[in-house]
Amino acid sequence: MGLMPNGSPYRVCLVCLGNICRSPMAEAVLRAKLLAAGLAGAVVVDSAGTGDWHVGHGADARARAALGARGYPTDHTARQFAARWFADRDLVLAMDGANLRELRRLAPDPETAERVRLLRSYDPKATGDLDVPDPYFGGDDGFELVLDQLERACDGLVDVLRRSLAS
Ligand code: 4NP
């Protein structure tokens, strides 16, 4: 996972189902943590959903409120992941097992499927179920749990990126 040979940034795409709750939140958290780590120029982050229901919509109001309360800026328009995106992404991080399976189904070959991982696999303290639970049909506390999980996973991911991009 070293820097690209031509010096172009490492590209990470965060993916959930609708691209209005979990993955836009993950995008905001990861971008802020990369900025704080001095890696904003070295790693480019975006997000998408496996589904198309919310394409063109902003982030869910509850996601925006939860992000804002912790100081993360948001400016988001939902998009659907397309198989051709694999060519322009080094790492594709799924929020849950269903997203992971769908992304791997879209991958053109086994090597590409290997570049799809669960985001929470980067949280060294996460045990058991590594899903970020879908907060869409629940209450506000679901968004707080999601943010707690995303912050820990993004800390772990930034550590991995910092070490591998330096080598
Ligand atoms: P997300 O949440 O995948 O975290 O963006 C959802 C948003 C919308 C729907 C499901 C999950 N939906 O069924 O419309």
Side-chain angles (χ1 to χ4, degrees):
M1 198 199 274
L3 255 188
M4 299 297 101
N6 59 5
S8 56
Y10 191 81
R11 299 154 302 181
V12 179
C13 188
L14 300 148
V15 182
C16 62
L17 180 60
N19 194 217
I20 57 169
C21 298
R22 292 165 293 174
S23 61
M25 293 167 84
E27 181 181 348
V29 170
L30 182 56
R31 192 169 288 130
K33 289 187 178 293
L34 288 167
L35 187 65
L39 292 173
V43 184
V44 173
V45 184
D46 69 352
S47 70
T50 58
D52 66 359
W53 308 282
H54 296 285
V55 168
H57 298 182
D60 184 283
R62 296 163 296 173
R64 291 202 310 268
L67 286 169
R70 294 197 196 184
Y72 297 105
T74 40
D75 174 20
H76 180 71
T77 304
R79 302 177 301 168
Q80 183 180 29
F81 190 90
R84 67 177 183 283
W85 290 27
F86 282 117
D88 302 322
R89 307 292 187 288
D90 300 295
L91 188 60
V92 178
L93 295 174
M95 296 301 121
D96 65 29
N99 310 147
L100 181 84
R101 280 190 296 282
E102 177 62 11
L103 288 163
R104 286 192 167 160
R105 191 185 67 76
L106 290 173
D109 52 58
E111 291 74 27
T112 304
E114 266 294 296
R115 290 193 278 114
V116 184
R117 308 277 171 80
L118 284 172
L119 173 62
R120 289 190 68 221
S121 68
Y122 290 88
D123 177 354
K125 295 210 177 104
T127 50
D129 178 1
L130 293 180
D131 287 357
V132 179
D134 186 346
Y136 186 66
F137 295 105
D140 290 345
D141 51 344
F143 286 80
E144 294 305 318
L145 171 69
V146 166
L147 260 185
D148 291 343
Q149 292 181 338
L150 294 176
E151 287 180 334
R152 288 195 293 269
C154 289
D155 280 336
L157 175 59
V158 169
D159 281 346
V160 169
L161 290 170
R162 188 193 283 114
R163 272 184 263 118
S164 59
L165 294 173
S167 61

